[in-house]
Structures are given as C-alpha cells and as structure tokens.
Amino acid sequence: QVQLVESGGGLAQAGGSLRLSCAASGRTLSSYDMGWFRQAPGKEREFVAAIRWSGDSTYYADRVKGRFTISRDNAKNTVYLEMNSLKPEDTAVYYCAGTAFSGFGAAIRSTTTYDYWGQGTQVTVSS
C-alpha cells in the first residue's frame, strides 16, 4: 500500500552530520507511526528512533539519544532523521519503516511491529 524510499546517506567523518529522509509514495504517511532502524554487518537490525503519526511523541535508542533527531512533515509525506556528532559505530544501513499502529509501549521499538520498509541507505562514518 505504501513504498518508502530513503535518501541522504553517504560518508561522513566522526563528529560530522548527515540528514536522512524517507519519502513515501502510493499513499500518504499522515496516519502512520514511523521508525528508523539500522543494521551493521553481522548484527541484527536495531531500533534507532520513532515518531507517532501525530508527531507529538518521539522515541530514541540510548545509543543515539541527544545526537539524533527524528521529525516528520506530513504535508510532504516525508520523515527525517538528523544525525549529529556521528561516531564510527553509527556505520550501518539505515532503514525507515511504517506501521498503521505501533502500540502504546515498547512495540514501537520492535522491528516486527512495522509493515512497510524502505530499501535502506548506507551511512559510513570514518574516524
């Protein structure tokens, strides 16, 4: 029902910044809870950040709290992840994901909650 396309990945130096975007096609994202996940080689996909459809609640993994900011612009059908103070351990493929309802608790942090996924965008942070 919806296609998600990430962009904005690339190479950054430690301490630098990148801004990822996730654009939707097929339908609007206005009623979807949205999340960002990442997966490094040899590791499982892990939660990064999430935002409720209304934009009034955001959630962050401890590893990125204070450095990353998730936001959305429903008028543009786009979700953003601003990444600051990047570290080499942030290197991963970053995926955006959407769900019509992620629950009221920890489910919003779980990969299994999400129904739609983008193709991923590579983020590489060098030291």
Side-chain angles (χ1 to χ4, degrees):
Q1 292 182 328
V2 61
Q3 292 184 342
L4 305 175
V5 179
E6 304 95 334
S7 63
L11 178 65
Q13 294 185 346
S17 299
L18 286 173
R19 191 190 194 199
L20 306 183
S21 64
C22 174
S25 63
R27 63 182 293 176
T28 65
L29 299 176
S30 60
S31 62
Y32 279 68
D33 294 342
M34 301 295 298
W36 285 96
F37 295 78
R38 66 187 184 186
Q39 187 167 20
K43 295 186 177 294
E44 295 184 354
R45 193 168 299 184
E46 67 175 0
F47 170 77
V48 176
I51 185 168
R52 296 287 186 186
W53 68 268
S54 61
D56 60 350
S57 297
T58 57
Y59 309 83
Y60 296 95
D62 289 341
R63 294 179 182 86
V64 307
K65 192 175 299 182
R67 299 188 296 120
F68 292 9
T69 302
I70 187 171
S71 62
R72 67 191 301 164
D73 187 339
N74 288 341
K76 297 181 178 180
N77 284 336
T78 303
V79 180
Y80 305 96
L81 184 69
E82 183 177 358
M83 304 183 294
N84 299 310
S85 301
L86 284 165
K87 303 176 181 179
E89 53 262 41
D90 294 319
T91 296
V93 177
Y94 283 70
Y95 300 88
C96 70
T99 179
F101 180 65
S102 62
F104 299 106
I108 201 168
R109 300 172 180 263
S110 174
T111 59
T112 60
T113 297
Y114 292 83
D115 302 306
Y116 304 102
W117 293 85
Q119 84 288 348
T121 185
Q122 177 71 48
V123 171
T124 302
V125 183
S126 64
S127 59

